[in-house]
Amino acid sequence: MNILFLITARGGSKSVPRKNLSEIGGISLIGFKAIAALRSKYCTRLIISSDDAELQQNAASYGAEVPFTRPAELATDTASSFDVIRHAMDWIEETTSERYDAVMLLEPSAPFATWVDFDNAVEMMLVE
């Protein structure tokens, strides 16, 4: 099973500026997601969808790929996660021959999910 792990992080948070770069124990919120994703046995590829170069650089420092920059219209308060996922999948389909069976959406603002949680989620999906 090929699963794309997709970190979604935009630079323009109004409530907590630069929140995705906030650190807990020296690891950014983005870093927590990337570390956990890369430990999951189901992570085929880990990428970040972001409009912000600093967030992209931070994700890359933890091993995430930065294959594109998210368009500004998908980095607003009103942009949906579905549209962000669709953009990522459209980009992959247009530029590569890769195909994925599923997408694991990773939002940095919930940093404490572990690779075990990700593996369990995939395994619950597979039981269906």
Side-chain angles (χ1 to χ4, degrees):
M1 170 159 277
N2 288 324
I3 302 178
L4 175 69
F5 280 52
L6 177 65
I7 297 173
T8 58
R10 62 185 182 94
S13 173
K14 292 180 182 175
S15 58
V16 181
R18 313 304 289 159
K19 72 179 174 191
N20 294 314
L21 294 174
S22 297
E23 293 185 351
I24 301 170
I27 301 172
S28 70
L29 298 183
I30 289 173
F32 272 99
K33 289 297 179 185
I35 290 167
L38 292 172
R39 290 193 65 200
S40 170
K41 64 184 174 185
Y42 296 107
C43 181
T44 303
R45 184 178 185 188
L46 172 63
I47 66 173
I48 184 169
S49 172
S50 182
D51 62 317
D52 185 281
E54 189 176 8
L55 298 180
Q56 291 172 325
Q57 182 179 22
N58 184 263
S61 74
Y62 288 100
E65 295 177 44
V66 186
F68 57 80
T69 296
R70 187 191 311 178
E73 65 270 15
L74 294 179
T76 66
D77 288 343
T78 58
S80 71
S81 293
F82 178 80
D83 290 336
V84 172
I85 294 167
R86 181 186 305 161
H87 170 263
M89 295 310 300
D90 287 347
W91 185 91
I92 289 169
E93 289 181 5
E94 291 169 7
T95 59
T96 74
S97 61
E98 299 169 14
R99 297 291 177 262
Y100 294 93
D101 302 302
V103 176
M104 175 78 71
L105 178 63
L106 306 176
E107 296 175 325
S109 57
F112 298 116
T114 69
W115 63 271
V116 174
D117 297 317
F118 299 156
D119 286 357
N120 287 339
V122 171
E123 289 163 6
M124 286 188 333
M125 177 186 71
L126 293 174
V127 170
E128 289 296 314

